[in-house]
Amino acid sequence: DAGVTQSPTHLIKTRGQQVTLRCSPKSGHDTVSWYQQALGQGPQFIFQYYEEEERQRGNFPDRFSGHQFPNYSSELNVNALLLGDSALYLCASSFGDSHTSGYTFGSGTRLTVV
Amino acid sequence: QQQVKQSPQSLIVQKGGISIINCAYENTAFDYFPWYQQFPGKGPALLIAIRPDVSEKKEGRFTISFNKSAKQFSLHIMDSQPGDSATYFCAAPDIYKLSFGAGTTVTVRA
C-alpha cells in the first residue's frame, strides 16, 4: 500500500520564478495538507484541501496557492520565489477527523531558491 | 497559531540510556497528541500518540506521559538504540492542522 508520494524530490529555482509541487495521498485518504519545514525547524502549516477546496490556511502569503483534483491528489504553487522560500515542503494526507485519525506525511520536496 | 514549546533542542544519550523530551501547549479543543520521528531526508512519521483520557501510553520502548492540567506531555525513549537517532517532534492539534514543536535531535552513541 503506497503511502504519500511527492514529486519532484529536489528542485532548484531562481528568485522570481514560479514552482509547482505535486502530491498523491495515501490510498483511502481524501484530505491533503501542505507544510513548509525550514532547516532545523518544525513543519509549519500552509493550507489544507478537502473536497477540492481550501479548508484552512496558515500564515502564508497569497504567493502560495494550491489545488486539489477529483482523485484527491494536490498541487502546491509558489509564485515570485524568494530566497526565504527555500525549505522542505511536506504533503500530509488524512481521512475524516484528522485530529483523531492522524496524518501520513510524504518524504517531501526539497526546494532551493538561488 | 497555537504555540508548542519543545525541549531540549538536542540531546546525546548512551546506548541503553533513557531519552526524555518535553512539550507544553497552550490550548486545544482536541484531545489527541502525537509524536513524530523524522530521519534526515525523510518526512515525519507518526511514532506514538495519546488521548488524554489516559495519563500514559506505552508502545515498546516508547512511552508518552500526559499531564492535562499542566498542559504538558513528554516522550520517554527507554533502552535507547543507535537506530533511534533522529529528530523528534511533538504536535498539538487544531481542527484542521497540527502545530509542531521546534524538534529535538536525539543522538544515541554506541
Side-chain angles (χ1 to χ4, degrees):
Chain A
D1 180 25
V4 176
T5 304
Q6 292 188 243
S7 63
T9 55
H10 296 82
L11 201 54
I12 300 175
K13 289 288 188 177
T14 304
R15 278 180 300 173
Q17 286 189 317
Q18 178 265 344
V19 68
T20 298
L21 310 181
R22 296 177 174 81
C23 172
S24 293
K26 180 179 179 179
S27 178
H29 285 184
D30 60 1
T31 303
V32 173
S33 304
W34 287 92
Y35 288 77
Q36 179 195 65
Q37 185 177 21
L39 198 62
Q41 301 294 320
Q44 297 292 317
F45 175 75
I46 302 175
F47 41 54
Q48 184 180 90
Y49 277 84
Y50 175 71
E51 292 187 342
E52 302 179 50
E53 292 193 358
E54 183 181 292
R55 184 152 69 172
Q56 186 172 10
R57 187 179 186 90
N59 188 25
F60 279 81
D62 292 345
R63 299 186 297 107
F64 290 77
S65 63
H67 188 78
Q68 185 180 34
F69 299 94
N71 67 352
Y72 308 121
S73 67
S74 177
E75 289 182 349
L76 165 65
N77 300 290
V78 186
N79 294 321
L81 285 166
L82 304 174
L83 295 179
D85 294 332
S86 295
L88 180 67
Y89 288 85
L90 296 164
C91 172
S93 71
S94 56
F95 176 80
D97 292 331
S98 305
H99 63 278
T100 56
S101 65
Y103 296 85
T104 301
F105 283 82
S107 292
T109 294
R110 172 69 65 185
L111 173 65
T112 302
V113 182
V114 298
Chain B
Q1 183 163 330
Q2 173 165 211
Q3 296 293 317
V4 179
K5 296 182 179 180
Q6 183 174 345
S7 63
Q9 184 176 12
S10 63
L11 66 89
I12 299 173
V13 62
Q14 292 296 121
K15 180 181 176 181
I18 301 173
S19 303
I20 301 175
I21 307 170
N22 299 299
C23 269
Y25 63 97
E26 293 181 336
N27 291 291
T28 179
F30 302 101
D31 294 333
Y32 170 80
F33 293 88
W35 284 90
Y36 283 82
Q37 181 188 54
Q38 186 176 29
F39 293 104
K42 299 294 185 182
L46 180 64
L47 180 65
I48 185 173
I50 193 169
R51 300 177 191 278
D53 53 350
V54 297
S55 60
E56 185 175 284
K57 181 176 181 179
K58 183 177 180 179
E59 289 185 359
R61 297 183 292 106
F62 300 90
T63 299
I64 298 179
S65 298
F66 191 88
N67 186 332
K68 189 172 184 178
S69 61
K71 296 181 181 177
Q72 294 178 346
F73 59 114
S74 61
L75 176 68
H76 291 63
I77 307 174
M78 314 299 287
D79 187 25
S80 297
Q81 300 297 311
D84 297 333
S85 296
T87 300
Y88 295 81
F89 294 95
C90 60
D94 286 321
I95 186 169
Y96 295 131
K97 67 182 181 185
L98 291 171
S99 295
F100 286 86
T104 298
T105 299
V106 174
T107 302
V108 181
R109 290 193 171 157

